[in-house]
Amino acid sequence: TYCTGMKAAQLYLKGEFEKIVLTRSNISTGKSLGHFPGTIEEKMEPWVKPIMNVLSEALGSGRAECMQRAKQIEVQPIETIRGTSFNNSIIIVDEAQNLTIEEIKAVTTRIGDGTKLILMGDPAQSDLKNSDLIKFVDLCHQYRVPAPIVTFSIKDIVRSDIVANLVKMFAKAGI
């Protein structure tokens, strides 16, 4: 999330994209709090907060807020993405391991001219029984879709040393 958010901000500031679009699955990690009141942006705020924090750090909070008001940073729920085409945009799909293959299809077929789509997700952290993100990557390889796939490992963890140790522990324990 951090690397992608920083890179998206850099590319936007260089003028390579007109807009940053944020989306993600709104599947809860644990027990649900129920429905959130408010506008679509207010409902999605808890889900996109991690990537917005990174964009605010990279762009400055004032610029990020201005960009949101001007719809240069747009929050787009997965549920309403069909029928939309994004041109000259960078689309960031956070927590993509929680998308079904149908949702991945809905998102990936929104790519218009001059648009880059980034699916970010860790299948090991899926809140679904099976992550269709792996299926999507396998299909891209099988059908030779020219989509670069970047895979990180435990040694690439930048959050903190304790997180790296915890991830190793969970992996060794099969959790």
Side-chain angles (χ1 to χ4, degrees):
T1 302
Y2 188 81
C3 294
T4 299
M6 287 295 183
K7 189 64 175 177
Q10 288 173 357
L11 294 172
Y12 175 84
L13 291 172
K14 284 183 179 178
E16 293 188 31
F17 298 99
E18 295 173 5
K19 169 172 31 176
I20 299 171
V21 178
L22 307 176
T23 191
R24 64 165 276 177
S25 171
N26 59 356
I27 293 177
S28 299
T29 302
K31 294 179 178 83
S32 175
L33 294 173
H35 297 284
F36 296 113
T39 65
I40 288 175
E41 289 79 12
E42 291 168 335
K43 289 174 188 289
M44 288 296 294
E45 194 272 334
W47 307 109
V48 298
K49 188 174 184 170
I51 191 72
M52 275 306 303
N53 288 344
V54 175
L55 289 173
S56 290
E57 180 181 336
L59 297 164
S61 61
R63 175 178 268 166
E65 288 172 20
C66 237
M67 287 174 65
Q68 280 185 284
R69 283 193 299 276
K71 301 290 184 194
Q72 293 166 324
I73 296 177
E74 180 181 320
V75 175
Q76 177 68 56
I78 295 287
E79 293 88 345
T80 60
I81 205 160
R82 285 200 198 279
T84 305
S85 292
F86 296 104
N87 294 307
N88 303 311
S89 302
I90 185 163
I91 305 170
I92 300 172
V93 183
D94 202 5
E95 302 293 336
Q97 77 273 8
N98 289 327
L99 298 178
T100 65
I101 197 68
E102 292 81 11
E103 290 169 325
I104 293 171
K105 179 181 176 185
V107 171
T108 58
T109 56
R110 304 299 99 212
I111 303 170
D113 290 333
T115 293
K116 180 181 294 266
L117 174 97
I118 302 168
L119 291 172
M120 301 182 305
D122 181 353
Q125 294 185 27
S126 179
D127 294 306
L128 303 174
K129 288 189 182 218
N130 296 307
S131 175
D132 282 345
L133 183 58
I134 294 171
K135 181 178 185 176
F136 175 73
V137 170
D138 290 344
L139 286 169
C140 285
H141 287 302
Q142 179 182 346
Y143 290 96
R144 294 185 175 91
V145 174
I149 311 290
V150 178
T151 304
F152 292 102
S153 70
I154 291 173
K155 67 181 178 205
D156 297 309
I157 294 173
V158 296
R159 184 165 287 151
S160 66
D161 290 339
I162 188 68
V163 168
N165 289 327
L166 288 167
V167 170
K168 289 175 192 172
M169 175 194 73
F170 287 127
K172 286 179 184 174
I175 299 172

mmCIF file of all heavy atoms in Angstrom, residues 33 68 83 91 116 131 150 171:
data_model
loop_
_atom_site.group_PDB
_atom_site.id
_atom_site.type_symbol
_atom_site.label_atom_id
_atom_site.label_comp_id
_atom_site.label_asym_id
_atom_site.label_seq_id
_atom_site.Cartn_x
_atom_site.Cartn_y
_atom_site.Cartn_z
ATOM 1 N N LEU A 33 -19.418 -4.137 11.806
ATOM 2 C CA LEU A 33 -20.082 -3.087 12.571
ATOM 3 C C LEU A 33 -21.437 -2.746 11.962
ATOM 4 O O LEU A 33 -22.143 -1.891 12.466
ATOM 5 C CB LEU A 33 -19.216 -1.814 12.577
ATOM 6 C CG LEU A 33 -17.882 -1.909 13.295
ATOM 7 C CD1 LEU A 33 -17.085 -0.640 13.072
ATOM 8 C CD2 LEU A 33 -18.096 -2.136 14.776
ATOM 9 N N GLN A 68 -9.394 15.592 -3.666
ATOM 10 C CA GLN A 68 -10.639 14.854 -3.438
ATOM 11 C C GLN A 68 -11.843 15.723 -3.806
ATOM 12 O O GLN A 68 -12.762 15.246 -4.473
ATOM 13 C CB GLN A 68 -10.749 14.409 -1.983
ATOM 14 C CG GLN A 68 -9.938 13.167 -1.674
ATOM 15 C CD GLN A 68 -10.185 12.706 -0.256
ATOM 16 O OE1 GLN A 68 -9.690 13.288 0.689
ATOM 17 N NE2 GLN A 68 -10.965 11.648 -0.132
ATOM 18 N N GLY A 83 -19.949 -0.351 -15.916
ATOM 19 C CA GLY A 83 -20.433 0.725 -16.777
ATOM 20 C C GLY A 83 -19.536 1.949 -16.801
ATOM 21 O O GLY A 83 -19.755 2.854 -17.591
ATOM 22 N N ILE A 91 -5.684 3.542 -11.296
ATOM 23 C CA ILE A 91 -6.686 2.884 -10.457
ATOM 24 C C ILE A 91 -5.950 1.993 -9.472
ATOM 25 O O ILE A 91 -5.192 1.110 -9.875
ATOM 26 C CB ILE A 91 -7.662 2.035 -11.285
ATOM 27 C CG1 ILE A 91 -8.318 2.871 -12.376
ATOM 28 C CG2 ILE A 91 -8.705 1.373 -10.370
ATOM 29 C CD1 ILE A 91 -9.100 2.046 -13.384
ATOM 30 N N LYS A 116 -3.615 3.088 -15.866
ATOM 31 C CA LYS A 116 -2.859 2.004 -15.236
ATOM 32 C C LYS A 116 -3.692 1.504 -14.070
ATOM 33 O O LYS A 116 -4.209 2.282 -13.274
ATOM 34 C CB LYS A 116 -1.520 2.519 -14.733
ATOM 35 C CG LYS A 116 -0.644 1.458 -14.065
ATOM 36 C CD LYS A 116 0.662 2.030 -13.551
ATOM 37 C CE LYS A 116 1.543 2.507 -14.655
ATOM 38 N NZ LYS A 116 2.523 1.580 -15.152
ATOM 39 N N SER A 131 -8.746 -17.155 -2.257
ATOM 40 C CA SER A 131 -8.504 -15.873 -2.910
ATOM 41 C C SER A 131 -8.487 -16.079 -4.418
ATOM 42 O O SER A 131 -7.680 -16.841 -4.945
ATOM 43 C CB SER A 131 -7.166 -15.285 -2.454
ATOM 44 O OG SER A 131 -6.892 -14.110 -3.181
ATOM 45 N N VAL A 150 4.119 -8.284 -9.836
ATOM 46 C CA VAL A 150 5.197 -8.067 -8.879
ATOM 47 C C VAL A 150 4.840 -8.843 -7.616
ATOM 48 O O VAL A 150 3.769 -8.648 -7.044
ATOM 49 C CB VAL A 150 5.375 -6.574 -8.542
ATOM 50 C CG1 VAL A 150 6.473 -6.376 -7.509
ATOM 51 C CG2 VAL A 150 5.661 -5.777 -9.801
ATOM 52 N N ALA A 171 3.392 -17.746 9.183
ATOM 53 C CA ALA A 171 3.665 -18.629 8.048
ATOM 54 C C ALA A 171 4.164 -19.990 8.525
ATOM 55 O O ALA A 171 3.700 -21.035 8.052
ATOM 56 C CB ALA A 171 4.667 -17.990 7.100
#
